[in-house]
Amino acid sequence: MDITSMYLDELKEYMTTLGEPAFRAKQVFEWIHKKQAQSLDEMTNLPKALREKLADNALFVREETRQTSREDGTVKFLYRLHDGNLIETVWMPHDYGISVCVSSQVGCRMGCRFCASTIGGLIRNLEPAEILGQIYASMRSMGKRVDNVVVMGTGEPFDNYDNLIRFIKLLTAPEGYNLSARSITVSTCGIVEKILQFAQEGLPVTLALSLHATTDEERKALMPVAHKYTLSETLAACNAYFEQTGRRVSYEYSLVRGQNDSEAHAIRLSKLLAGQNCHVNLIPVNPIAERDYKASDPGSVQKFKLTLEKNSINGTIRRSAGSDIDAACGQLRRRFEDRER
Ligand code: SAH
């Protein structure tokens, strides 16, 4: 395993196998997770020979390009991985702090119809260090600390489960960045077994479920995963997540004009979620070039939210951050790769 994905204990063991004193492990761990070092050369308190020995075994991401929104300060980073692959990360300043949206895979195999990230399929899983690296590299270049992390970029985090768990444990390690698990949100298209497994990890992370529909048939038309799991078993798993962790579940609902944004949809959604301690995020769908989905108009979005509220369901309309900079999942990477070709 790369040293940048190792827990402190593993790093200690590894140093021992190299014939190095155990305290080197703590130094390296702090360089990576506390000081957000972007290369081994920065680790100046390590002997040069050791740095050279470790160099082949460390994963860092490198900034390829970035786009900064003139509207709201959102920055979209495109990072290059050691094997040449590209991934996207979004930096979002909010009133309540800075959120970073990270990718969990290169590409995705879930096939959601409205999503640009899945069009080229899954290339590979990201290593824990490559998910962390997005946070550390963006923090370093922006010169600010990150307050919230959302695993909502490219990829299905529960399709890369073990690396996701390791990523969360490293990011929350007291000897490292020490982010509270409560400041992390993991978004899934709804892989039921993994939701149930995640509930057992003892990590108070917020779960976000991409719902986008109110009947099984409508969900199947938007999200292939709905062929595998019914709405009722998906919602039952989310309920179990709440029961187990005490964390209120967020439901993502992208509003597609004329498809899932009517009053009848809002009423059905309220009934589906009735009695659940949850929150609904309403997001007018971000149109992508490859598909013909259009965003609901602002009036319908408002009305949808009011109907939910009348039926005792909390809803927030998510402001569309950085709409001037290809902010929909996977658009920047696709455009950049097209240009390169
Ligand atoms: N695979 C995970 C996380 C990545 S997608 C998941 O499905 O939740 C993050 C969120 O963005 C999901 O809710 C997804 O459905 C939504 N999304 C993807 N493309 C979108 C688009 N073009 N417009 C609006 N929301 C989109």
Side-chain angles (χ1 to χ4, degrees):
M1 187 191 295
D2 59 280
I3 57 162
T4 29
S5 295
M6 284 181 189
Y7 298 129
L8 182 55
D9 287 348
E10 294 167 338
L11 206 47
K12 279 182 187 157
E13 251 183 72
Y14 183 66
M15 288 295 172
T16 313
T17 64
L18 292 181
E20 296 285 336
F23 72 85
R24 294 284 180 218
K26 190 140 188 274
Q27 289 178 319
V28 171
F29 197 85
E30 287 186 347
W31 274 112
I32 296 168
H33 300 279
K34 265 196 163 155
K35 301 182 214 168
Q36 285 79 46
Q38 295 301 299
S39 72
L40 281 151
D41 292 337
E42 285 181 33
M43 306 184 185
T44 43
N45 58 355
L46 301 187
K48 192 142 188 284
L50 176 58
R51 277 185 264 154
E52 278 164 8
K53 239 189 280 181
L54 297 176
D56 290 342
N57 212 9
L59 294 179
F60 296 101
V61 303
R62 296 260 171 266
E63 184 176 331
E64 178 71 42
T65 183
R66 72 168 79 179
Q67 292 182 340
T68 303
S69 168
R70 280 180 299 261
E71 292 169 3
D72 53 24
T74 302
V75 184
K76 192 146 190 179
F77 291 96
L78 195 65
Y79 288 117
R80 180 79 71 180
L81 306 177
H82 69 96
D83 61 355
N85 277 304
L86 291 166
I87 52 171
E88 290 181 23
T89 306
V90 191
W91 175 275
M92 297 171 288
H94 296 299
D95 305 337
Y96 50 85
I98 290 164
S99 299
V100 169
C101 175
V102 295
S103 296
S104 56
Q105 296 179 312
V106 183
C108 182
R109 58 179 178 144
M110 295 297 133
C112 297
R113 294 289 301 157
F114 44 81
C115 180
S117 294
T118 195
I119 292 172
L122 175 68
I123 312 291
R124 71 168 173 88
N125 283 329
L126 292 184
E127 296 301 325
E130 294 170 326
I131 312 177
L132 281 167
Q134 300 168 60
I135 300 165
Y136 296 164
S138 59
M139 232 162 74
R140 258 300 275 277
S141 81
M142 300 299 287
K144 287 187 182 137
R145 283 180 69 85
V146 164
D147 305 290
N148 298 287
V149 170
V150 296
V151 189
M152 274 191 196
T154 294
E156 167 49 47
F158 287 163
D159 193 34
N160 185 16
Y161 189 85
D162 293 343
N163 289 349
L164 172 77
I165 299 296
R166 183 175 277 271
F167 154 74
I168 294 169
K169 289 184 174 167
L170 284 167
L171 187 61
T172 55
E175 312 84 0
Y177 188 61
N178 197 17
L179 187 73
S180 160
R182 292 188 161 71
S183 305
I184 301 174
T185 299
V186 172
S187 181
T188 178
C189 65
I191 300 177
V192 166
E193 299 87 350
K194 298 295 178 190
I195 295 174
L196 297 173
Q197 190 179 347
F198 197 52
Q200 303 299 324
E201 300 283 353
L203 299 166
V205 169
T206 299
L207 179 73
L209 189 281
S210 300
L211 193 56
H212 307 321
T214 57
T215 66
D216 285 317
E217 285 318 306
E218 286 182 353
R219 198 159 186 261
K220 281 179 200 166
L222 290 173
M223 304 174 71
V225 72
H227 290 279
K228 189 145 183 217
Y229 308 103
T230 63
L231 265 178
S232 95
E233 56 188 337
T234 307
L235 293 173
C238 292
N239 237 337
Y241 189 83
F242 171 73
E243 292 298 329
Q244 186 67 36
T245 62
R247 302 294 295 163
R248 188 177 75 166
V249 174
S250 288
Y251 291 97
E252 311 288 304
Y253 194 94
S254 295
L255 290 155
V256 184
R257 193 189 300 177
Q259 214 163 327
N260 64 0
D261 62 345
S262 71
E263 176 147 28
H265 285 98
I267 292 171
R268 228 172 11 244
L269 180 58
S270 311
K271 286 192 180 135
L272 275 179
L273 301 180
Q276 272 210 33
N277 192 340
C278 66
H279 189 89
V280 177
N281 280 314
L282 299 170
I283 315 138
V285 79
N286 213 327
I288 59 171
E290 293 83 352
R291 305 268 187 270
D292 200 22
Y293 294 111
K294 295 193 175 62
S296 302
D297 58 88
S300 312
V301 177
Q302 277 298 341
K303 204 166 152 208
F304 199 96
K305 175 176 186 269
L306 283 176
T307 306
L308 291 184
E309 278 167 1
K310 262 189 259 164
N311 291 283
S312 315
I313 302 290
N314 289 314
T316 307
I317 299 170
R318 271 239 298 260
R319 87 193 157 102
S320 179
S323 52
D324 55 332
I325 53 163
D326 292 345
C329 275
Q331 290 193 115
L332 176 58
R333 170 172 160 254
R334 279 186 68 71
R335 298 226 173 129
F336 191 87
E337 285 182 340
D338 283 349
R339 274 203 298 274
E340 278 198 326
R341 265 197 293 276

